[in-house]
Amino acid sequence: MLIRFFITLLLLSQGAMAQERQPSHCIALAEGAPGIEYIVPANFSAVAPENVRIHYISHASFLIRSHGGLNIVTDFTGFTGSAPFIPDVVTMNHAHDTHWTAHPDPAIPHVLPGWGEFGEGIDHRLDLGEVLIRNVSTDIRSQFSSVETEGNSIFVFEMAGLCIGHLGHLHHEPDAAQYAALGRLDVVMAPVDGGYTLDLPTMTRALKRLKSSIVIPMHWFSLFALDDFLSGMSDEFAIVEVGGPSLEVSLDRLPGRPTIMVLRPEWLSAP
């Protein structure tokens, strides 16, 4: 009887864990966008249920924080600010050393490089219950103007029913298979420098095809570059100056019209 009792408890606990992550709709048709309303700015504190906090740290690094307290840092360079902070997951890309570190803190439980052996790419599918993290590989320009096949990763974070994508150091428009693998992204962080990654016309075309509810510009080196990007997107996207580094987003409060949310980067500091 005791053995049967413990087996029952184990099965019940596994069922509860399997239900921790609200299912997302990444691979739904791009046209099937949920219609809805609005976003709430937030700071580095607790996250409301069924919400995700996104904090722009610097350059291409963001802190993505779940309601359950999972902390993910994108394009991790080894430094996030003065806050004593060890993320649960870091993702990295290696087109430039401002997007990765060769020496991540060994205390970080999950370190996900966006590349593998030269030209071979890498596949990630990390299921942490509350968050599923996967990647779609793209090519990058390597030294001497050659190409490193699958040297960059677009990371996708499925959490709270949302699909959140980070384009990394994107050097070409995704092809049909890559668009299909990404699915529909509710939120996308996009490099808008206009040269080191994609030229602005190509980036604009890619973002309009992705049809994300929220676009967060990153990897801009001047306000002029940012303004050029915003001008090119203003015909189809609303533009919102959030007025800080963070926003909190949930599936039932996405903007009804595709919207660019402009965050101002800020290092993480102790509360």
Side-chain angles (χ1 to χ4, degrees), residues 65-86:
R65 182 172 169 85
S66 75
H67 167 63
L70 281 171
N71 294 301
I72 303 159
V73 175
T74 66
D75 279 27
F76 178 67
T77 64
F79 181 73
T80 59
S82 61
F85 172 65
I86 296 177

Side-chain angles (χ1 to χ4, degrees), residues 11-253:
L11 291 172
L12 287 172
S13 66
Q14 287 177 337
M17 287 177 64
Q19 295 175 19
E20 285 180 1
R21 184 175 67 254
Q22 179 182 342
S24 67
H25 53 261
C26 277
I27 308 301
L29 290 175
E31 290 77 39
I36 11 218
E37 289 154 332
Y38 138 102
I39 304 295
V40 183
N43 56 20
F44 190 42
S45 57
V47 180
E50 305 303 336
N51 279 243
V52 177
R53 168 91 34 76
I54 299 173
H55 179 107
Y56 189 12
I57 299 172
S58 178
H59 198 56
S61 291
F62 291 82
L63 169 63
I64 303 173
R65 182 172 169 85
S66 75
H67 167 63
L70 281 171
N71 294 301
I72 303 159
V73 175
T74 66
D75 279 27
F76 178 67
T77 64
F79 181 73
T80 59
S82 61
F85 172 65
I86 296 177
D88 299 291
V89 183
V90 299
T91 66
M92 301 187 295
N93 278 300
H94 74 159
H96 297 286
D97 58 8
T98 50
H99 296 256
W100 71 294
T101 174
H103 305 288
D105 192 321
I108 299 170
H110 304 283
V111 177
L112 307 182
W115 66 96
E117 294 296 323
F118 188 90
E120 295 182 8
I122 195 166
D123 292 314
H124 293 293
R125 189 175 180 87
L126 176 63
D127 192 338
L128 298 177
E130 193 179 12
V131 181
L132 172 67
I133 303 171
R134 57 186 177 86
N135 72 305
V136 175
S137 292
T138 63
D139 303 341
I140 56 171
R141 298 181 295 271
S142 61
Q143 288 184 337
F144 312 114
S145 300
S146 61
V147 172
E148 181 181 351
T149 305
E150 298 192 341
N152 177 73
S153 279
I154 298 172
F155 282 94
V156 179
F157 310 91
E158 301 187 29
M159 52 199 302
L162 294 161
C163 297
I164 300 169
H166 185 285
L167 298 184
H169 211 277
L170 189 63
H171 287 180
H172 64 86
E173 183 175 1
D175 62 25
Q178 290 161 338
Y179 275 122
L182 287 171
R184 185 181 185 281
L185 302 177
D186 298 296
V187 181
V188 63
M189 295 87 148
V192 300
D193 56 272
Y196 289 98
T197 57
L198 275 182
D199 62 275
L200 286 182
T202 306
M203 178 59 73
T204 298
R205 183 170 65 248
L207 291 172
K208 289 180 177 179
R209 175 163 176 176
L210 284 170
K211 299 183 180 178
S212 299
S213 296
I214 296 172
V215 174
I216 301 175
M218 66 171 184
H219 207 262
W220 40 272
F221 296 93
S222 71
L223 292 178
F224 296 107
L226 178 61
D227 289 344
D228 281 348
F229 168 73
L230 296 177
S231 296
M233 297 288 284
S234 60
D235 59 333
E236 294 186 26
F237 285 71
I239 297 171
V240 173
E241 277 280 357
V242 174
S246 302
L247 59 82
E248 197 160 304
V249 59
S250 66
L251 183 62
D252 65 346
R253 289 184 296 176

